[in-house]
């Protein structure tokens, strides 16, 4: 992409209404524009990162054996009357009436709809297990939308739902998602800690929140410090094998959100390993048994011929919230520092003197080379000052920058800068391209 053709409305000033660094940087880097409280337009740069995060989430869902579908954003109130949640959900639900006076709503979550889909087609123990997910916009009329996309009203969520014949099988589905989440967040460059969590309005007994530690997080959490450093299981996990040991290894150490915190149990953690901190909830998994299948009559016939309610779980990831969480974890005073896995472009090329024949030619060669290598470069071919170009490149946080100027080119050299460390290396344009390829 050539910057002269792109749409990158960067701001010089930090917007005064943005309280936390991720929100400030997303506005300054031209990633989002607020359209109403908690409702954002995703500008091209933000949209690129959002799509990359979404794709990683999708790949790990697929790897864990989940199957993608797409449910609508608008739902019928009748489904929610069946589960009893239409009245319970309260003011967070955006209620809509259509021209025929039918009660509709903008979905805040999809347990009812997916249960309806399941019961329409699956009737036998032979039809389970099933693990279905979608990645779709949700709306929750939050009392206090804030921190940009961290607590929006319209936000993108991945939500998966499991259907199993009994509790033991449901536990296996839960473990699949538990392990998939560890791998997902690791690929996104995050240390997300699974913590015992309250089940809230979703209901059920077994539940974990995945928390990224950050001072600006809205949740208060308590955990064993070893959990933060424990690596993810890795992408070669056998999801059809026994995942319980991997889950046990992590749930054996103390970790709980405020609602579930047991001070006496926490006191048993060695004092130098006790971590009480703030964190961002980036994912939440629930096992809720027959809470929806019973009232909604989603049953499967067991081998003995008896129909029984199917056992369910639901598993959410805050895809749009993750942008904020990743920036909170990866930035410096100059701007974002994207992990390579989600960087909006793989590398930037900065032409310090557009119009200079040698600079233009070297940039063009580097650009074509990086495109060919699949690095998806952003080439700053604008006539801005070099200082402004550097500032923009650092602000938008591409992992690598190739800096091309007339002085270096006299010796056939350009500069390769690593955004995270700030280190620079001089080399020929060809070497720079092959170093990154
Ligand atoms: P919170 O405690 O932050 O209000 P929640 O517990 O209500 O979140 P869940 O119902 O567990 O949210 O939804 C699954 C995931 O969706 C959350 O873990 C979070 O990452 C994301 N999410 C929830 N609400 C929002 C929001 N208002 N804006 C952005 N992401 C959200
Ligand atoms: Mg909430
Ligand atoms: Mg919560
Ligand atoms: Mg939650």
């Amino acid at each position: 992409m050539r910057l002269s053709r792109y749409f990158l409305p960067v701001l010089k000033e930090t917007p005064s209404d943005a309280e936390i660094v991720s929100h400030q940087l997303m506005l300054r880097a031209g990633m989002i524009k607020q359209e109403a409280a908690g409702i954002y337009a995703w500008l091209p740069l933000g949209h690129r990162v959002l799509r990359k995060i979404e794709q990683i989430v999708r790949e790990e869902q697929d790897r864990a054996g989940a199957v993608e579908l797409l449910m609508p954003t608008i739902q019928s109130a009748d489904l929610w009357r069946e589960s009893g949640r239409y009245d319970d959900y309260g003011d967070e639900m955006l209620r809509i009436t259509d021209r025929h006076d039918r009660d509709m709503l903008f979905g805040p979550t999809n347990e009812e709809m997916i249960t309806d889909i399941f019961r329409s087609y699956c009737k036998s123990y032979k039809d389970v297990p099933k693990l279905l997910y979608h990645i779709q916009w949700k709306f929750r009329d939050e009392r206090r939308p804030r921190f940009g996309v961290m607590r929006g009203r319209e936000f993108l969520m991945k939500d998966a739902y499991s259907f199993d014949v009994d509790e033991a099988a449901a536990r296996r589905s839960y473990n699949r998602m538990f392990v998939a989440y560890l791998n997902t967040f690791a690929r996104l460059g995050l240390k997300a800690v699974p913590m015992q969590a309250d089940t809230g309005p979703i209901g059920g007994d077994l539940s974990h929140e995945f928390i990224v530690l950050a001072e600006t997080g809205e949740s208060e959490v308590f955990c064993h410090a070893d959990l933060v450093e424990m690596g993810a299981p890795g992408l070669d996990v056998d999801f059809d094998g026994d995942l319980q040991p991997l889950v046990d290894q992590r749930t054996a150490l103390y970790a709980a959100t405020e609602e579930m915190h047991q001070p006496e149990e926490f006191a048993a953690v060695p004092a130098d390993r006790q971590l009480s901190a703030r964190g961002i909830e980036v994912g939440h998994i629930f096992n809720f048994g027959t809470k929806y299948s019973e009232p909604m009559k989603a049953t499967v016939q067991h081998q003995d011929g008896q129909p029984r309610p199917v056992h369910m779980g639901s598993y959410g990831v805050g895809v749009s919230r993750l942008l904020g969480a990743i920036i909170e974890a990866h930035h410096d005073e100059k701007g974002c520092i994207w992990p390579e896995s989600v960087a909006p472009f793989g590398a930037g090329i900065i032409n310090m003197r557009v119009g200079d024949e040698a600079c233009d030619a070297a940039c063009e060669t580097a650009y074509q080379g990086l495109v060919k290598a699949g690095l998806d470069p952003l080439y700053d071919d604008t006539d801005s000052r070099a200082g402004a170009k550097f500032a923009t490149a650092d602000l938008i946080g591409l992992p690598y920058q190739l800096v091309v100027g007339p002085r270096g080119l006299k010796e056939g050299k350009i500069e390769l800068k690593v955004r995270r460390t700030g280190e620079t290396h001089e080399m020929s344009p060809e070497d720079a391209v092959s170093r990154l390829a």
Side-chain angles (χ1 to χ4, degrees):
M1 178 61 66
R2 290 167 202 272
L3 187 55
S4 59
R5 291 185 201 153
Y6 201 50
F7 185 74
L8 185 68
V10 297
L11 308 179
K12 286 211 184 67
E13 308 292 326
T14 299
S16 58
D17 52 337
E19 297 168 68
I20 62 171
V21 70
S22 58
H23 187 195
Q24 293 167 356
L25 288 175
M26 287 184 77
L27 292 170
R28 282 188 53 212
M31 302 179 74
I32 51 170
K33 177 181 181 301
Q34 184 175 311
E35 295 298 336
I39 301 179
Y40 291 88
W42 293 82
L43 303 182
L45 195 78
H47 184 240
R48 270 183 175 250
V49 181
L50 184 68
R51 288 296 170 231
K52 293 217 165 166
I53 295 173
E54 177 185 336
Q55 185 54 24
I56 288 175
V57 170
R58 173 178 290 116
E59 285 169 17
E60 295 314 315
Q61 290 294 293
D62 293 346
R63 199 190 308 277
V67 178
E68 187 171 12
L69 47 61
L70 184 59
M71 291 176 269
T73 53
I74 305 293
Q75 307 186 19
S76 156
D78 286 339
L79 272 181
W80 288 67
R81 292 199 175 98
E82 280 192 57
S83 72
R85 272 209 298 183
Y86 189 62
D87 294 325
D88 291 352
Y89 212 90
D91 290 340
E92 258 188 32
M93 180 184 277
L94 180 65
R95 295 158 206 261
I96 305 165
T97 313
D98 74 7
R99 59 163 63 189
H100 305 292
D101 257 344
R102 273 188 284 254
D103 293 328
M104 315 289 285
L105 56 100
F106 196 122
T109 179
N110 282 63
E111 280 80 10
E112 284 77 1
M113 189 177 283
I114 198 81
T115 304
D116 178 56
I117 291 173
F118 179 86
R119 74 181 172 186
S120 302
Y121 305 104
C122 302
K123 316 277 184 196
S124 153
Y125 69 91
K126 292 178 193 156
D127 296 323
V128 291
K130 282 283 171 287
L131 196 39
L132 303 171
Y133 76 98
H134 74 161
I135 301 176
Q136 177 63 292
W137 295 93
K138 304 289 186 291
F139 196 95
R140 294 183 186 176
D141 204 351
E142 300 278 354
R143 178 188 299 278
R144 226 183 131 203
R146 58 177 188 158
F147 299 162
V149 300
M150 245 0 154
R151 182 167 299 285
R153 291 197 294 165
E154 186 183 65
F155 60 98
L156 189 60
M157 196 204 286
K158 182 287 300 180
D159 38 326
Y161 302 89
S162 62
F163 301 88
D164 283 284
V165 71
D166 57 23
E167 211 177 306
R171 182 67 212 232
R172 287 194 288 276
S173 295
Y174 187 88
N175 290 349
R176 275 180 194 257
M177 285 296 117
F178 189 106
V179 171
Y181 276 30
L182 294 170
N183 284 340
T184 302
F185 297 125
R187 279 188 70 190
L188 296 171
L190 293 173
K191 288 177 182 161
V193 183
M195 307 210 179
Q196 262 191 53
D198 193 16
T199 53
I202 306 274
D205 50 9
L206 177 63
S207 177
H208 288 89
E209 278 175 20
F210 288 74
I211 302 279
V212 173
L213 300 183
E215 276 167 34
T216 49
E218 293 186 274
S219 315
E220 197 175 355
V221 297
F222 305 85
C223 74
H224 193 300
D226 288 4
L227 262 180
V228 183
E229 297 310 322
M230 201 180 282
L235 304 185
D236 54 355
V237 166
D238 174 12
F239 278 97
D240 293 322
D242 183 9
L243 300 173
Q244 197 63 50
L246 284 174
V247 174
D248 288 345
Q249 195 189 1
R250 285 158 180 89
T251 51
L253 295 177
Y254 188 88
T257 58
E258 196 180 5
E259 301 82 30
M260 299 299 280
H261 185 46
Q262 308 281 346
E264 321 77 61
E265 260 185 65
F266 189 50
V269 174
D272 62 334
R273 305 312 292 156
Q274 287 180 13
L275 190 63
S276 66
R278 302 199 65 82
I280 303 166
E281 178 190 334
V282 290
H284 196 166
I285 61 179
F286 305 83
N287 178 321
F288 46 72
T290 59
K291 177 175 158 139
Y292 298 91
S293 55
E294 228 171 277
M296 295 186 68
K297 303 191 179 56
T299 60
V300 288
Q301 191 166 34
H302 283 219
Q303 259 171 309
D304 62 7
Q306 289 299 314
R308 296 189 185 87
V310 70
H311 284 253
M312 293 176 58
S314 75
Y315 314 89
V317 169
V319 176
S320 49
R321 177 178 286 185
L322 276 165
L323 265 94
I326 293 171
I327 296 176
E328 290 295 325
H330 300 280
H331 70 270
D332 62 12
E333 66 291 345
K334 294 188 182 124
C336 309
I337 307 178
W338 295 111
E340 283 180 46
S341 59
V342 297
F345 294 94
I349 301 170
I350 296 176
N351 188 341
M352 287 172 67
R353 190 162 311 158
V354 172
D356 176 281
E357 219 170 289
C359 286
D360 290 355
C363 284
E364 205 57 45
T365 308
Y367 183 65
Q368 299 303 342
L370 291 180
V371 168
K372 211 173 275 163
L375 255 118
D376 205 5
L378 179 65
Y379 171 22
D380 190 342
D381 60 344
T382 64
D383 55 10
S384 314
R385 286 179 303 106
K389 291 189 177 188
F390 294 141
T392 298
D394 283 345
L395 174 64
I396 67 173
L398 306 184
Y400 303 99
Q401 298 165 17
L402 301 188
V403 183
V404 181
R407 210 175 318 147
L409 273 186
K410 284 210 180 92
E411 278 127 54
K413 298 267 165 72
I414 67 170
E415 203 177 80
L416 171 64
K417 179 175 156 189
V418 182
R419 173 67 179 93
R420 185 169 295 277
T421 59
E423 56 189 305
T424 57
H425 310 276
E426 293 219 319
M427 60 186 79
S428 70
E430 294 75 24
D431 284 350
V433 169
S434 52
R435 180 84 79 93
L436 296 184

